[in-house]
């Protein structure tokens, strides 16, 4: 069975070997092992640098847009910000499909060139005499399109990082498990003859769960600055500093969790960890619900200059932007009186916020990595490019809708309604996981059961 080849998911991304060659018709050699892990580390570095670039640019979009085109309003800013995720959502399945039929180097190189060209365009959008805001919109959309290569990276790493486990397990596996271990995309038809098509219910359910997971964390990041300014009467400068520290601490916590869940999953399984992570996230948001009789400080000043909060996505983003970036230490602080809920909603104590942050910082990374791991195992040896593209598109959609949802609900109804709805959403996700729990199994296990029947 091993002599039939390993397939493109085991091919070193940077090596000269091709799927189906004689050199790949044997179990992985030391040279192949080193080449594979060199490829993986390069991809990790590429994604790390891409994330840094995104973080740097996102903070400058609004002032840059105002500078290059005075006709750009808050509504247009919403489109500029959303264009990145829209571009990534469109590109991810396309790059994934490309990687299924061609060497993965091709879509990766092309996507990187698109990203470089798009960032160059972004740097020079001030040059044209008119319509500059549309050039910026196109530039950000193209940057997001280039970022669609995440689907290719995920599909490669999913296959490459598990190769050692696959080859080491060959001696003790049945024929069906061996198919799941060693057959690459070129041999998928043989697997399907003995097992049928993959479980699409499990695939769709995992996509939905991944959407919910990224959705709730995106809204947590979005709401943190306005929430702390309203609850604790922090100035803009204080909110930026303290929330930056909180998010940095959560980042360190996430790194620890990412390293720990791999070991823990071998003992309790990915499904149990995913369920546990969702429960921890639910507890975190439940703790955020306002209780007690203490109310936040009300911001009374400049009431005559304020009106009902803006309703467009762009205008809400501008409001959050100003809350986080402007330095008005002498200005009014507290919960704005035009937010009617400030008069009757109890304050969320800082201890509540920190405790909830710790719990969400535990649950989110556990859910993230477990949903991705389960997804890869469910797909098995089938080419995963397109499917990983849909998974990435689900995450992009969550990052678009999450801020919009929490902005509107928080502005009009307050934190009690906002976090109650999030708790309800997590309960629905837990219910969905429970409904499909028995179907979220690796390809090799499903194949074994099919043969047993």
């Amino acid at each position: 069975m091993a002599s039939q080849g390993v397939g493109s998911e085991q091919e070193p991304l940077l090596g000269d070997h091709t799927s189906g060659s004689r050199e790949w018709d044997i179990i992985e050699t030391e040279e192949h092992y080193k080449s594979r892990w060199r490829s993986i580390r390069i991809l990790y570095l590429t994604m790390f640098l891409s994330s840094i670039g995104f973080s740097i640019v996102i903070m400058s979009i609004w002032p840059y847009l105002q500078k290059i085109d005075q006709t750009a309003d808050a509504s247009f800013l919403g489109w500029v910000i959303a264009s990145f995720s829209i571009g990534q959502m469109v590109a991810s399945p396309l790059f994934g499909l490309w990687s299924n039929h061609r060497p993965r180097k091709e879509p990766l190189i092309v996507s990187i060139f698109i990203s470089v060209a798009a960032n160059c365009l972004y740097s020079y959008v001030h040059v044209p005499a008119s319509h500059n805001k549309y050039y910026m919109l196109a530039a950000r959309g193209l940057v997001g399109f280039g970022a669609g290569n995440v689907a290719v990276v995920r599909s490669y790493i999913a296959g490459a990082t598990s190769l050692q486990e696959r080859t080491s397990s060959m001696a003790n596996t049945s024929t069906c498990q061996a198919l799941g271990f060693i057959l690459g995309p070129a041999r998928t038809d043989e697997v399907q003859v003995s097992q049928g098509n993959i479980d699409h219910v499990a695939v769709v359910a995992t996509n939905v769960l991944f959407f919910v997971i990224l959705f709730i964390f995106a809204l947590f990041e979005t709401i943190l600055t306005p929430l702390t300014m309203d609850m604790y009467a922090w100035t803009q400068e204080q909110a930026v500093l303290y929330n930056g520290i909180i998010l940095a601490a959560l980042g360190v916590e996430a790194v620890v969790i990412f390293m720990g869940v791999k070991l823990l999953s071998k003992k309790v399984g990915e499904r149990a960890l995913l369920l546990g992570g969702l429960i921890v996230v639910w507890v975190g948001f439940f703790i955020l619900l306002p209780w007690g009789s203490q109310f936040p400080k009300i911001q009374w000043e400049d009431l005559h200059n304020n009106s009902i909060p803006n309703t467009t996505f762009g205008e809400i983003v501008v409001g959050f932007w100003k809350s986080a970036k402007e330095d008005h230490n002498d200005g009014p602080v507290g919960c704005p009186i035009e937010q009617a809920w400030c008069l009757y909603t109890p304050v969320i104590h800082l201890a509540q916020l920190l405790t909830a942050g710790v719990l969400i910082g535990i649950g989110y990374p556990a859910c993230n990595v477990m949903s991705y791991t389960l997804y890869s195992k469910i797909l098995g040896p089938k080419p995963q490019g397109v499917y990983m593209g849909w998974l990435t598109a689900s995450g992009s959609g969550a990052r678009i809708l999450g801020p919009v949802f929490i902005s509107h609900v928080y502005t009009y109804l307050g934190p009690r309604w906002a976090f109650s709805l999030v708790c309800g959403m997590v309960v629905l996700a837990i219910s969905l996981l429970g409904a499909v729990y028995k179907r979220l199994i690796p390809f090799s296990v499903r194949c074994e059961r099919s043969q047993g029947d």
Side-chain angles (χ1 to χ4, degrees):
M1 191 68 64
S3 63
Q4 294 179 351
V6 288
S8 63
E9 73 172 20
Q10 300 171 2
E11 176 187 352
L13 187 68
L14 305 179
D16 296 327
H17 312 290
T18 58
S19 176
S21 66
R22 290 178 59 86
E23 196 168 7
W24 274 96
D25 287 344
I26 58 174
I27 297 301
E28 184 181 38
T29 65
E30 182 67 21
E31 179 184 355
H32 295 153
Y33 176 86
K34 293 180 179 179
S35 176
R36 175 166 57 89
W37 276 100
R38 184 169 65 250
S39 302
I40 292 172
R41 293 186 181 101
I42 291 175
L43 290 178
Y44 284 157
L45 177 61
T46 301
M47 293 299 100
F48 176 75
L49 295 176
S50 176
S51 298
I52 290 178
F54 174 82
S55 300
I56 293 173
V57 171
I58 197 67
M59 299 303 294
S60 66
I61 289 180
W62 177 233
Y64 191 30
L65 180 61
Q66 288 181 310
K67 182 178 180 180
I68 66 170
D69 197 329
Q70 297 297 322
T71 66
D73 57 10
S75 298
F76 194 83
L77 174 66
W79 286 107
V80 172
I81 293 178
S83 63
F84 177 92
S85 295
I86 294 174
Q88 187 180 50
M89 186 165 56
V90 172
S92 296
L94 299 179
F95 283 132
L97 180 63
W98 188 353
S99 70
N100 280 355
H101 299 283
R102 298 288 299 171
R104 292 187 179 93
K105 291 180 287 188
E106 292 182 2
L108 285 174
I109 292 173
V110 170
S111 63
I112 290 174
F113 273 111
I114 291 175
S115 297
V116 171
N119 279 290
C120 290
L121 174 61
Y122 182 82
S123 301
Y124 287 94
V125 292
H126 64 282
V127 173
S130 61
H131 305 299
N132 305 74
K133 63 182 182 181
Y134 296 108
Y135 290 109
M136 177 180 282
L137 180 68
R140 290 303 298 166
L142 286 173
V143 171
F145 194 91
N149 59 17
V150 173
V152 183
V153 174
R154 282 176 171 163
S155 65
Y156 176 77
I157 293 178
T161 55
S162 60
L163 178 56
Q164 185 175 8
E165 178 183 351
R166 295 174 182 178
T167 55
S168 64
S169 303
M170 284 288 297
N172 299 318
T173 58
S174 65
T175 301
C176 188
Q177 287 176 313
L179 284 170
F181 281 145
I182 66 172
L183 288 182
R187 311 300 299 172
T188 303
D189 290 341
E190 291 187 15
V191 178
Q192 291 178 340
V193 169
S194 63
Q195 193 270 338
N197 295 323
I198 60 174
D199 189 345
H200 288 92
V201 173
V203 169
V204 173
T206 310
N207 271 278
V208 173
L209 291 172
F210 189 73
F211 174 90
V212 173
I213 292 164
L214 267 68
F215 182 92
I216 57 181
F217 191 76
L219 61 84
F220 178 75
E221 289 182 311
T222 302
I223 203 62
L224 190 58
T225 294
L227 177 68
T228 53
M229 293 181 67
D230 291 346
M231 293 291 110
Y232 314 128
W234 286 353
T235 64
Q236 288 86 349
E237 186 177 39
Q238 289 174 322
V240 171
L241 175 61
Y242 300 152
N243 290 326
I245 294 174
I246 291 174
L247 291 177
L250 293 182
V252 174
E253 181 186 18
V255 172
V256 176
I257 297 300
F258 280 134
M259 293 188 296
V261 291
K262 179 179 180 181
L263 299 175
L264 191 58
S265 64
K266 294 180 180 179
K267 297 182 179 181
V268 301
E270 290 88 356
R271 295 179 298 177
L273 271 181
L274 178 57
L275 177 60
L278 286 172
I279 293 174
V280 171
V281 168
W282 182 87
V283 173
F285 278 100
F286 182 80
I287 290 176
L288 276 177
L289 293 175
W291 305 102
S293 57
Q294 181 180 348
F295 295 91
K297 176 184 176 181
I298 302 299
Q299 180 187 132
W300 298 97
E301 291 86 346
D302 296 331
L303 177 61
H304 60 282
N305 290 328
N306 295 319
S307 59
I308 296 300
N310 296 317
T311 59
T312 66
F313 176 39
E315 289 168 334
I316 290 173
V317 170
V318 171
F320 285 177
W321 181 281
K322 290 180 178 179
S323 297
K325 299 301 292 181
E326 291 182 357
D327 187 9
H328 291 167
N329 292 331
D330 297 330
V333 294
C335 201
I337 186 61
E338 63 267 20
Q339 294 180 168
W341 55 263
C342 293
L343 298 175
Y344 56 81
T345 301
V347 69
I348 298 174
H349 297 282
L350 184 59
Q352 287 180 263
L353 178 67
L354 296 179
T355 303
V358 170
L359 292 174
I360 295 171
I362 293 173
Y364 167 72
C367 291
N368 192 316
V369 70
M370 287 301 103
S371 59
Y372 164 68
T373 302
L374 272 173
Y375 193 68
S376 177
K377 289 187 175 183
I378 290 169
L379 296 177
K382 183 179 180 65
Q384 296 187 6
V386 174
Y387 286 92
M388 288 297 176
W390 287 118
L391 190 71
T392 304
S394 298
S396 299
R399 290 193 297 272
I400 294 172
L401 298 178
V404 178
F405 168 84
I406 197 65
S407 300
H408 281 75
V409 176
Y410 178 82
T411 301
Y412 286 103
L413 301 177
R416 177 170 288 167
W417 270 98
F419 298 139
S420 295
L421 290 175
V422 173
C423 287
M425 194 177 303
V426 177
V427 168
L428 291 177
I430 293 174
S431 301
L432 174 62
L433 176 58
V436 299
Y437 193 87
K438 294 183 178 180
R439 307 185 71 148
L440 301 181
I441 56 177
F443 169 87
S444 58
V445 176
R446 180 174 297 278
C447 185
E448 278 294 311
R449 292 180 179 177
S450 176
Q451 284 193 342
D453 295 336

